[in-house]
């Protein structure tokens, strides 16, 4: 059984991934996003509120579920908002990835390969 944790599961991509993974017998699916779970389907996965810009929130969720694989879809995606709020865009789209990597390293004690797929 592989534990897969998805961030930003209230978003477009995150929801699609949860729908693809939930109810799979070989996957324990951990869905995380900011605030309440807004997905319509509530079964076949576990949900935990997690703000990726808060390192203590990330660390506690990682320690609780100890994921094998992390799929990070949480992001600030509005381009105009990113241009107008550059510090927030950096925090959500760059620094928060560091928090995720650090939390993962703390539970797995291994090096991490981080892939960023550009579309
Ligand atoms: N959709 C596509 O077709 C597509 C294609 C290629 C690449 N991508 C990439 O995939 C990623 C996600 O795209 P998307 O279309 O799914 O965007 P999206 O619908 O805007 O989803 C992003 C999610 O991230 C959540 N989020 C924002 N800040 C957060 C935080 N601090 N902690 C936890 N969650 C947070 C948002 O929560 P709220 O809903 O509460 O604001 C939102 O649900 C982006 O990097 C995007 O560039 C998407």
């Amino acid at each position: 059984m592989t534990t897969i944790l998805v961030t930003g599961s209230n978003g477009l991509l995150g929801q699609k991934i949860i729908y693809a993974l939930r109810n799979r017998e070989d996957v324990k699916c951990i869905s995380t996003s900011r605030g309440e779970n807004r997905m319509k389907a509530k079964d076949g996965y576990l949900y935990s509120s997690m703000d990726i810009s808060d390192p203590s929130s990330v660390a506690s969720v990682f320690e609780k579920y100890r994921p094998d694989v992390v799929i990070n879809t949480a992001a600030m995606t509005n381009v105009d908002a990113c241009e107008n709020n550059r510090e927030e865009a950096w925090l959500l789209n760059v620094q928060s990835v560091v928090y995720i990597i650090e939390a993962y390293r703390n539970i797995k004690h291994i090096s991490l390969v981080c892939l960023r797929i550009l579309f």
Side-chain angles (χ1 to χ4, degrees):
M1 175 80 78
T2 304
T3 300
I4 302 181
L5 184 149
V6 179
T7 73
S9 61
N10 280 329
L12 285 176
L13 183 59
Q15 290 200 26
K16 294 283 184 195
I17 293 171
I18 297 298
Y19 276 113
L21 294 178
R22 76 191 188 105
N23 295 324
R24 274 185 59 152
E25 289 182 1
D26 57 341
V27 171
K28 180 177 179 183
C29 182
I30 313 298
S31 164
T32 73
S33 210
R34 192 165 51 181
E36 295 290 312
N37 180 12
R38 302 201 300 271
M39 275 186 59
K40 197 170 176 187
K42 310 280 189 205
D43 62 309
Y45 64 93
L46 298 171
Y47 180 81
S48 199
S49 174
M50 185 179 86
D51 180 346
I52 61 164
S53 68
D54 175 355
S56 64
S57 166
V58 176
S60 71
V61 171
F62 273 54
E63 280 161 19
K64 181 174 181 185
Y65 294 108
R66 305 186 70 78
D68 301 302
V69 174
V70 179
I71 303 174
N72 181 34
T73 76
M76 187 169 174
T77 54
N78 184 305
V79 176
D80 289 336
C82 288
E83 288 288 349
N84 294 328
N85 305 282
R86 290 181 172 218
E87 286 185 7
E88 190 184 353
W90 184 269
L91 173 62
L92 290 178
N93 295 343
V94 180
Q95 183 60 41
S96 294
V97 178
V98 175
Y99 298 150
I100 289 168
I101 291 169
E102 286 174 348
Y104 189 86
R105 278 193 177 138
N106 283 339
I107 59 160
K108 294 290 180 185
H109 305 294
I110 57 170
S111 355
L112 185 74
V113 176
C114 187
L115 297 177
R116 173 78 169 122
I117 300 169
L118 300 175
F119 291 85

